[in-house]
Amino acid sequence: MRLIIFFSISLVLILASCITTKETVVKQVISDIIKGKVQKTIFNDEKSDSTTCAIDYSFFAPSKMVYRDSVNQKIKKHLIRFTQFGSGTIGNLPLSNSFFQTQLDSFASLCSSEEDYDEDMNHLWELESVIEIEDSHEIFVQLQVTSWSYTGGAHGNGATKTWLVDKMTAKDLLLEDVFSELDSVTAIGESYFRKLYELEPDANLDDAGFWFENNRFYLNNNFYIFEDTIVFLYSSYEIAPYSAGETAIEIPIEEIRNYIKIKI
């Protein structure tokens, strides 16, 4: 199964327990979209194992355009929630190289107070995140955040979240804002879902191991535009067990163009 990432800049963040640290700051490139990188290497108590933390970031430069501020706020909320487990506050701190470095430091500080090394699994805590902005459309901007973390146990957990943000209102564009006749669009989406998993048109979704509410397929609000397709993403545990991984349903735009209400 192919999971398409439509942006050109990757953001990778790997975090672990923190006893000793090293830091590297890579100079940021400034334009309308600011890009840069911060890094930190973290060791376990015995310094026998280590992992490198890194944020390859992108965010909008300060602007009077409200949609850009909306995108930046989403990035801030995500990183604070992800690196501080929801315990941090957003505040008025602007996005900057220092902000991203602080998020690495915050995660390191939290894991220093926990059992930072999983001896049974022989694995340090880790966290990866990819944040990318795509601003080539006339009426909306796309933001994608892909995250994964391991904090002990049998396996890590991850998800990809996407937003389409309206450039006029700065509000998120949801299914009903983008599509008309949602029942028809959903039926087309289901046909591609069944094709992806090689299910017959009348195959029972519950019996096939999926967790759709009331045994009925649905499209979610986690979608984005990529070239000539619209991609719907379902996280692990959203519609299937962890072992199924993340599901990406790609629908050709031409097949649903008559139901699209916005210019894409």
Side-chain angles (χ1 to χ4, degrees), residues 71-243:
V71 168
N72 285 351
Q73 288 298 313
K74 294 179 191 301
I75 294 171
K76 286 177 65 175
K77 289 179 182 179
H78 165 75
L79 276 182
I80 290 173
R81 181 174 64 250
F82 205 50
T83 59
Q84 301 181 45
F85 305 106
S87 62
T89 57
I90 297 175
N92 295 319
L93 186 66
L95 290 181
S96 65
N97 189 279
S98 296
F99 171 85
F100 292 99
Q101 187 67 61
T102 297
Q103 301 318 301
L104 294 183
D105 296 341
S106 294
F107 186 89
S109 177
L110 285 172
C111 51
S112 68
S113 63
E114 300 290 338
E115 190 67 32
D116 63 356
Y117 195 80
D118 189 335
E119 294 182 355
D120 293 334
M121 300 299 293
N122 193 32
H123 205 300
L124 289 165
W125 280 21
E126 298 179 24
L127 186 151
E128 302 176 1
S129 187
V130 176
I131 301 177
E132 298 171 303
I133 298 170
E134 192 268 315
D135 192 17
S136 64
H137 298 273
E138 181 179 339
I139 69 169
F140 62 86
V141 61
Q142 299 191 112
L143 170 66
Q144 180 170 356
V145 178
T146 300
S147 304
W148 179 88
S149 65
Y150 174 83
T151 55
H155 58 72
N157 289 288
T160 300
K161 173 62 180 172
T162 65
W163 293 266
L164 272 66
V165 179
D166 188 293
K167 290 186 176 181
M168 289 294 293
T169 66
K171 295 182 178 180
D172 298 345
L173 294 174
L174 306 179
L175 284 171
E176 57 268 27
D177 302 312
V178 178
F179 305 105
S180 62
E181 300 185 37
L182 282 178
D183 287 345
S184 297
V185 177
T186 299
I188 295 171
E190 181 171 4
S191 69
Y192 277 90
F193 171 80
R194 290 178 178 273
K195 180 179 180 181
L196 178 66
Y197 287 102
E198 300 180 345
L199 299 175
E200 295 295 327
D202 59 349
N204 185 285
L205 295 176
D206 282 350
D207 292 343
F210 295 98
W211 299 344
F212 289 102
E213 186 175 357
N214 299 320
N215 197 26
R216 184 176 180 180
F217 177 85
Y218 64 84
L219 293 174
N220 62 14
N221 280 303
N222 200 26
F223 62 92
Y224 65 91
I225 316 299
F226 178 76
E227 295 182 348
D228 59 352
T229 64
I230 297 181
V231 184
F232 288 84
L233 301 175
Y234 299 82
S235 302
S236 299
Y237 294 120
E238 184 175 355
I239 60 171
Y242 178 85
S243 58

